[in-house]
Amino acid sequence: MLQTLYDYFWWERLWLPVNLTWADLEDRDGRVYAKASDLYITLPLALLFLIVRYFFELYVATPLAALLNIKEKTRLRAPPNATLEHFYLTSGKQPKQVEVELLSRQSGLSGRQVERWFRRRRNQDRPSLLKKFREASWRFTFYLIAFIAGMAVIVDKPWFYDMKKVWEGYPIQSTIPSQYWYYMIELSFYWSLLFSIASDVKRKDFKEQIIHHVATIILISFSWFANYIRAGTLIMALHDSSDYLLESAKMFNYAGWKNTCNNIFIIFAIVFIITRLVILPFWILHCTLVYPLELYPAFFGYYFFNSMMGVLQLLHIFWAYLILRMAHKFITGKVVEDERSDREETESSEGEEAAAGGGAKSRPLANGHPILNNHHRKND
């Protein structure tokens, strides 16, 4: 049964054009071709990324945060209460007025005390400013290095300048070591993001982030073993071109560098719109949708790859909407915060506001950090 499923999954008619088999992609005459088994190394590499990230955040990001005077915000903790904790974990984090009254009777607290308990409890679960800075620092470092490395891999290739050459000789296109390592490192990194997503900073587009990571992993994996490598390197470099800008804007935002954050965000928005809504659909997608049909009839792999690209494009449109909405608020002079972030609740009306570190004591807070005129992500 398993062997039948295995054979059907790797049936050449699914993944390769007509009249071609996996035997055509076997190494020969010193030419090396991509193989699905190459991808096994990405799982241990993903675990290595998590280890490297831990030490990077501890010995690089944390000292950098201290240098920028980014400190943990002292938060008042919700006192232990079994009744309220059970409701919080099982029924919801924001009880309605009727539920507040019921919980008040069950816990022996006043309605105001119940509401205060839930505010503090919600704030306990929100990520700290330092945690967000560490995460942004790690992603900024990777995306910047990946973008530079990706450009080094493709900038001297003829298909970087002429998209039709992406399919020249397809699929009998041998790989080179730089392409191999670019693929393995990118795929390993996205595996590590998927592994750590439960502990990373959660935003309102959490589900979209999961979809993005899964679609990216599938796309990179498929493009490797089906030898869409030339198109794949172009797509990965294009995505990395804006991601590091966003993460750097976050870092400056958390550090309280308002003007720098705003300026980088504007650059990020321009690069994001140009790369994700112009170059990707009108150059890259055109390249993967139109040019292959000039060589071979459409096959399942062709439809599968472009369907996954369509999923990514829909996510890009969704994120572009958030970016443009923030840009509009910024241009019109309204206060702008990350559209995906939830606001940290304060208790200043009750004289119980916790002291905030990093010189932000008198400034309103959004998702654990001072509101600036503008900030954002991808993930991206």
Side-chain angles (χ1 to χ4, degrees):
M1 177 65 178
L2 292 178
Q3 184 62 41
T4 301
L5 292 175
Y6 178 86
D7 293 340
Y8 184 77
F9 181 82
W10 291 110
W11 185 35
E12 288 94 342
R13 295 288 65 76
L14 287 178
W15 308 113
L16 296 177
V18 65
N19 297 328
L20 289 167
T21 67
W22 295 117
D24 296 312
L25 297 179
E26 292 179 356
D27 300 345
R28 63 172 65 86
D29 301 326
R31 296 171 67 88
V32 178
Y33 297 92
K35 293 174 282 294
S37 58
D38 295 333
L39 302 180
Y40 294 152
I41 195 176
T42 60
L43 294 178
L45 281 178
L47 296 179
L48 179 61
F49 262 118
L50 294 176
I51 295 173
V52 172
R53 173 181 174 175
Y54 172 80
F55 287 105
F56 176 89
E57 292 185 353
L58 185 63
Y59 294 110
V60 178
T62 300
L64 180 59
L67 186 65
L68 296 172
N69 201 31
I70 299 173
K71 301 176 181 178
E72 294 278 13
K73 178 179 181 296
T74 303
R75 291 170 174 168
L76 295 173
R77 299 184 62 84
N81 189 301
T83 300
L84 301 184
E85 184 70 23
H86 181 266
F87 183 94
Y88 181 87
L89 296 175
T90 60
S91 300
K93 299 180 179 181
Q94 293 183 325
K96 299 178 182 178
Q97 186 58 42
V98 175
E99 294 170 326
V100 169
E101 294 172 359
L102 177 61
L103 290 169
S104 175
R105 292 193 295 270
Q106 292 176 343
S107 63
L109 301 174
S110 67
R112 188 183 184 92
Q113 289 174 319
V114 170
E115 292 172 344
R116 181 188 305 157
W117 188 95
F118 274 92
R119 279 197 300 272
R120 292 183 179 179
R121 186 65 180 84
R122 287 192 295 269
N123 283 339
Q124 284 179 216
D125 284 349
R126 291 187 171 92
S128 69
L129 184 63
L130 181 58
K131 176 180 174 63
K132 289 186 286 188
F133 181 83
R134 288 169 175 168
E135 181 178 310
S137 300
W138 165 248
R139 296 192 183 196
F140 163 77
T141 302
F142 175 83
Y143 288 134
L144 179 59
I145 294 174
F147 175 64
I148 295 173
M151 292 303 298
V153 169
I154 64 176
V155 73
D156 62 338
K157 306 299 186 294
W159 56 85
F160 181 70
Y161 305 95
D162 183 358
M163 291 290 182
K164 285 193 173 183
K165 292 188 180 294
V166 166
W167 305 105
E168 194 174 78
Y170 176 82
I172 315 300
Q173 298 171 336
S174 58
T175 62
I176 57 178
S178 61
Q179 291 174 327
Y180 171 84
W181 284 111
Y182 186 35
Y183 255 81
M184 297 307 111
I185 290 174
E186 284 275 354
L187 182 55
S188 300
F189 179 75
Y190 279 101
W191 273 120
S192 74
L193 290 184
L194 194 62
F195 294 157
S196 65
I197 198 167
S199 60
D200 286 344
V201 176
K202 290 184 177 63
R203 303 183 188 277
K204 293 178 182 178
D205 63 346
F206 178 74
K207 293 180 181 178
E208 289 82 2
Q209 284 290 336
I210 294 178
I211 294 172
H212 174 269
H213 295 341
V214 171
T216 301
I217 289 171
I218 292 174
L219 266 174
I220 295 176
S221 301
F222 168 78
S223 66
W224 178 259
F225 70 71
N227 224 14
Y228 274 51
I229 295 173
R230 293 181 181 180
T233 53
L234 293 174
I235 294 168
M236 290 189 296
L238 181 139
H239 280 75
D240 291 335
S241 65
S242 62
D243 289 342
Y244 72 92
L245 290 170
L246 175 60
E247 299 304 330
S248 63
K250 289 181 182 179
M251 292 170 62
F252 284 113
N253 172 58
Y254 302 147
W257 293 30
K258 174 180 170 181
N259 292 332
T260 305
C261 170
N262 291 340
N263 292 332
I264 293 178
F265 176 81
I266 293 173
I267 298 172
F268 159 74
I270 294 172
V271 173
F272 185 94
I273 298 300
I274 292 174
T275 56
R276 309 295 179 91
L277 298 189
V278 179
I279 296 178
L280 185 64
F282 296 107
W283 272 268
I284 305 294
L285 268 174
H286 181 267
C287 172
T288 61
L289 280 169
V290 176
Y291 296 156
L293 299 181
E294 297 177 0
L295 302 173
Y296 298 101
F299 56 103
F300 174 79
Y302 165 86
Y303 292 116
F304 179 80
F305 180 83
N306 286 293
S307 295
M308 289 293 99
M309 288 293 294
V311 171
L312 283 185
Q313 189 59 47
L314 290 175
L315 290 173
H316 296 157
I317 294 172
F318 167 73
W319 282 318
Y321 164 73
L322 298 182
I323 292 170
L324 290 174
R325 189 163 69 173
M326 285 188 289
H328 176 262
K329 291 180 180 178
F330 171 70
I331 293 172
T332 56
K334 297 179 181 178
V335 173
V336 177
E337 57 189 274
D338 194 328
E339 296 284 355
R340 304 166 306 146
S341 301
D342 55 348
R343 181 187 298 273
E344 178 160 341
E345 300 158 286
T346 64
E347 302 179 77
S348 57
S349 61
E350 302 174 58
E352 300 179 5
E353 189 171 13
K361 294 182 180 180
S362 62
R363 296 159 67 181
L365 297 173
N367 201 24
H369 57 275
I371 295 178
L372 302 181
N373 282 346
N374 188 22
H375 61 276
H376 181 74
R377 174 179 175 39
K378 144 35 155 141
N379 207 204
D380 354 111

